[in-house]
Amino acid sequence: MDVKEYRGVMVLGEQRNGSIHRVTFELLNRGRTLADKLGVELSCAILGDRVDDLGEVILRGADKVFHVCSKDLASFLPGPYARALAQLIQEEKPEIVIAAATTTGRTIMPLVAARLGTGLTADCTYLDIDPGERILLQTRPAIGGNIMATIKTPFTRPQMATVRPRSTRPAPRDESRTGVVTVKNYGDMLVSLTERFLEFMVDPSQEVNIQDADIIVSGGKGLKNREGFKLVEELARVLGAGVGATRDAVELGWISYSHQIGLSGKTVSPKLYIAVGISGKVQHLAGMQTSETIVAINKDPDAQIFQVADFGIVGDAFEVVPELIDALKKLKAGA
């Protein structure tokens, strides 16, 4: 493979029901940084039948937008999505392709990498460019999150990685930016004979998706048992917040894995993060420390969580949280 044939950075944007998803703007932020360091163009691939406001992608940092448009991409299916992205990459030859570690990215990026005969680093938390070799440095947690490994793909192209949603801020709008939007249609090659979309089912345990939530209330092992964890759920309901949890709380069976935050779970960055009975292990902190405001409730004044918290309450969660709930209910009633 002649790696010199490949040039540019491409991000895989995502849409939900025809609207550009926030994670696209996060990827554009990362992609713009990488492209500027290499002195190349940044493109964004969007797959779907109908997608609104593609111009917003230009304003957020892309030089080119490729909309692969087909009724066979109206609902997410791994086969058609992977074939569409692989075909686009073969045509445009970007040297770097990054996607979010969402259901879409985690599913299709391995399929695309296999089709193209290249490598893929999953769940990266940091991306950079080696200035000497001009190759992508892909950093991710390894060995249960105990070390951070940096991975290179020196001999094949494109260099591919997925990055955790909410691990960086969305790219800001720049009204002065201009770019090109190109529509691609790959016809019958996207028809799937082995997959069929049946229906979309919402996870009933997530009244508010934690990766989209502005407020998250999380609980840890300090809540002692499943009954204690219900305090977190009640406080979240009063606030209209998402419910998060540490790895310990999930492994103890108090709540499902879809709520786990940390290196082995999800990365979140809400406006307000309330940590209840959480000691603050590095594995958990890595998944929430970019939150705008962090409030910690823990009876141990030396708990690690207080080192990242903006506000700390040293006290027993079984006394503090019920008082918070009562105060919030009274505030709501008065309003």
Side-chain angles (χ1 to χ4, degrees):
M1 174 182 288
D2 184 1
V3 298
K4 294 181 181 178
E5 292 181 1
Y6 292 78
R7 187 171 178 83
V9 177
M10 178 181 287
V11 303
L12 173 61
E14 296 191 23
Q15 52 86 17
R16 302 285 189 276
N17 300 316
S19 297
I20 304 295
H21 192 267
R22 169 198 159 104
V23 76
T24 303
F25 306 137
E26 296 174 17
L27 291 171
L28 288 169
N29 199 355
R30 289 186 180 272
R32 186 72 266 167
T33 300
L34 298 176
D36 289 345
K37 287 186 176 183
L38 288 167
V40 297
E41 288 187 327
L42 172 64
S43 63
C44 179
I46 303 281
L47 313 180
D49 182 23
R50 175 190 59 81
V51 181
D52 300 324
D53 208 9
L54 290 169
E56 181 72 13
V57 181
I58 299 291
L59 299 180
R60 299 278 189 154
D63 300 301
K64 296 178 180 177
V65 178
F66 296 103
H67 175 203
V68 184
C69 180
S70 170
K71 60 181 178 58
D72 297 305
L73 300 173
S75 299
F76 176 69
L77 287 173
Y81 267 60
R83 289 195 292 276
L85 182 59
Q87 180 66 26
L88 180 62
I89 291 171
Q90 287 172 326
E91 291 176 3
E92 299 301 321
K93 288 185 164 43
E95 57 196 297
I96 294 171
V97 179
I98 60 174
T102 56
T103 299
T104 299
R106 289 174 188 256
T107 303
I108 72 169
M109 289 291 274
L111 297 175
V112 173
R115 279 177 169 268
L116 300 178
T118 191
L120 170 67
T121 304
D123 285 340
C124 294
T125 55
Y126 183 70
L127 298 175
D128 202 359
I129 299 294
D130 183 315
E133 299 184 61
R134 286 177 57 85
I135 60 176
L136 182 64
L137 302 176
Q138 306 153 77
T139 302
R140 57 151 295 154
I143 313 180
N146 293 311
I147 66 168
M148 300 299 286
T150 298
I151 299 164
K152 299 180 182 180
T153 310
F155 305 118
T156 58
R157 293 292 181 273
Q159 303 157 90
M160 296 177 59
T162 60
V163 296
R164 295 190 169 208
R166 298 277 181 164
S167 59
T168 191
R169 301 290 183 191
R173 298 178 92 244
D174 182 350
E175 298 287 350
S176 68
R177 286 191 53 79
T178 59
V180 178
V181 177
T182 302
V183 177
K184 299 266 189 177
N185 192 318
Y186 295 136
D188 292 341
M189 73 168 288
L190 301 182
V191 176
S192 179
L193 301 177
T194 58
E195 303 163 281
R196 185 161 58 93
F197 180 81
L198 297 179
E199 64 176 315
F200 177 78
M201 299 178 66
V202 177
D203 181 354
S205 72
Q206 294 198 58
E207 294 180 22
V208 180
N209 187 314
I210 58 173
Q211 288 189 302
D212 296 329
D214 286 332
I215 304 173
I216 295 174
V217 183
S218 278
K221 198 173 180 179
L223 290 167
K224 298 183 179 180
N225 52 42
R226 170 63 187 144
E227 285 301 308
F229 196 85
K230 288 181 180 179
L231 280 175
V232 165
E233 295 171 330
E234 186 178 355
L235 179 57
R237 276 194 294 273
V238 173
L239 290 170
V243 177
T246 63
R247 180 175 176 174
D248 287 336
V250 171
E251 290 184 342
L252 287 166
W254 300 347
I255 198 166
S256 66
Y257 172 74
S258 60
H259 296 264
Q260 184 171 317
I261 294 170
L263 284 176
S264 53
K266 295 177 179 177
T267 300
V268 297
S269 187
K271 293 179 180 177
L272 174 62
Y273 189 91
I274 302 176
V276 183
I278 293 174
S279 62
K281 293 177 182 177
V282 65
Q283 288 88 347
H284 183 75
L285 297 183
M288 47 66 72
Q289 59 189 355
T290 58
S291 303
E292 289 185 23
T293 302
I294 299 171
V295 176
I297 302 170
N298 199 299
K299 65 181 181 181
D300 178 6
D302 297 320
Q304 184 77 13
I305 191 70
F306 288 125
Q307 294 188 21
V308 299
D310 299 286
F311 301 95
I313 300 175
V314 179
D316 190 331
F318 295 100
E319 297 175 2
V320 175
V321 175
E323 289 188 20
L324 275 177
I325 292 170
D326 288 344
L328 288 167
K329 285 180 177 178
K330 288 176 183 177
L331 187 64
K332 279 189 170 184

